[in-house]
Amino acid sequence: MVVSYSGIAGRRGKNPTKIVIHNDGGSKNAKASFYKSWLENHNPELGFAHYYVAEDGTYQAEADGNSAWHCANSVGNRDYLGIEVCQSLGSESVFKANEQKAFKLAATLCKKYKLNPSVAIFPLHRELSSTDCPHRSFALHGKAIVAVKNYYVEQVKKYFGSTSSGSSSSAGSSLAKNTKPLKDGKVGDLVKVYDALYRDSTGAGRSTAKRGKQGRIKRIVANSKKYLVEDWGWAHPNDLQLIKRATGSTSVKLPAGFSKEEATFVNGDTQITTRTNKPSLKGTVGKALKPHEKVAYLGWKVSEGYTWIYTKDKRYIPVRLVGKAAWGTFK
């Protein structure tokens, strides 16, 4: 069922040209059933999207053929479909599941309106107006516009029926599916490059030059091409096969709410106070991170307006104010 907004923001008179995937900024209770009730008593001029995708299903608030006030941009409101990924302030697992539903919906809409999934088809809300939307996707999938857009396209293509990018070679597209993709890779693992490597972790600069070679994982980040192999390039788990697990390493469990990212933080010119029991300024003070000191970390989390890293020696270290430059560099 579509709510009574039908056409209130104008009738487009043509097929939509792009799709904006939003994050709703709602709590764990902001489900499709909530939005159905809330939107019917909500001033539409304050904003609404076409679809609301949540744990309990998908609610369509406006017909595809009509415009919607969803991105504070005249062209975007008129010509683009808006999909809200709901419960973006709730649990990460629920949000990611909702994202996948939204990607599947986006793939269906792309097919319906003959849109070829590409970064041009999926502008971010923050590109169209002043906002932090999609805030949760931004934090989870690269913290950069190009990284998030590449992730969106990659995920939509899974459901669209395309698994290769426009830059893939004919050899790459004809390669048999990797039946033993890397699972839960660790820094130091010896792996075989089954398919391609990329110049950066967002998926740019695809190359098959190292196909069949063996090398070790040097770094792991949160982007889709998450594994750095030697200094050759970045790989998706489907691009690699495990040869031998790293030995002599100790596994440290990430605290709740932390996103996995194995790398090194190099502090800047100012000493940073660390915490030993929780990512909070009220936590127990630990050994300070000295100026220019390096520290290996396993994951990150946003808490109290700061981005915190969790280190191998089990310290919580704030490394930046959210939305601001880091107090050091990441390697």
Side-chain angles (χ1 to χ4, degrees), residues 83-102:
I83 300 174
E84 289 280 1
V85 183
C86 301
Q87 300 169 276
S88 66
L89 296 179
S91 80
E92 182 176 317
S93 60
V94 169
F95 175 74
K96 284 184 172 180
N98 292 345
E99 271 192 322
Q100 291 301 315
K101 293 178 186 177

Side-chain angles (χ1 to χ4, degrees), residues 61-134:
E62 180 57 286
D64 293 355
N66 294 331
S67 301
W69 292 310
H70 64 100
C71 53
N73 176 286
S74 58
V75 174
N77 289 341
R78 184 190 68 210
D79 293 343
Y80 306 165
L81 289 176
I83 300 174
E84 289 280 1
V85 183
C86 301
Q87 300 169 276
S88 66
L89 296 179
S91 80
E92 182 176 317
S93 60
V94 169
F95 175 74
K96 284 184 172 180
N98 292 345
E99 271 192 322
Q100 291 301 315
K101 293 178 186 177
F103 297 142
K104 188 172 183 178
L105 171 61
T108 299
L109 294 169
C110 282
K111 288 180 180 179
K112 182 177 181 179
Y113 297 112
K114 295 180 170 55
L115 301 173
N116 184 34
S118 67
V119 292
I121 297 300
F122 292 98
L124 300 188
H125 189 177
R126 64 176 61 205
E127 292 183 285
L128 302 172
S129 59
S130 180
T131 176
D132 67 349
C133 178

Side-chain angles (χ1 to χ4, degrees), residues 187-201:
V187 171
D189 283 354
L190 181 65
V191 294
K192 175 183 177 181
V193 180
Y194 182 81
D195 187 5
L197 296 176
Y198 297 80
R199 184 177 64 249
D200 61 47
S201 60

Side-chain angles (χ1 to χ4, degrees), residues 257-307:
F258 274 77
S259 297
K260 181 179 178 181
E261 179 176 290
E262 295 187 36
T264 299
F265 176 73
V266 183
N267 193 15
D269 298 328
T270 305
Q271 180 169 292
I272 299 176
T273 301
T274 74
R275 300 298 190 275
T276 59
N277 61 331
K278 59 183 177 180
S280 169
L281 299 182
K282 297 178 182 178
T284 304
V285 174
K287 180 183 176 183
L289 188 68
K290 297 177 181 178
H292 311 297
E293 184 179 351
K294 297 179 181 179
V295 62
Y297 68 93
L298 303 172
W300 63 274
K301 177 183 181 178
V302 172
S303 177
E304 298 182 354
Y306 293 87
T307 297

Side-chain angles (χ1 to χ4, degrees), residues 14 22 26 39 119 203 207 283 291 293:
K14 61 180 182 179
H22 299 274
L39 287 168
V119 292
S207 171
E293 184 179 351

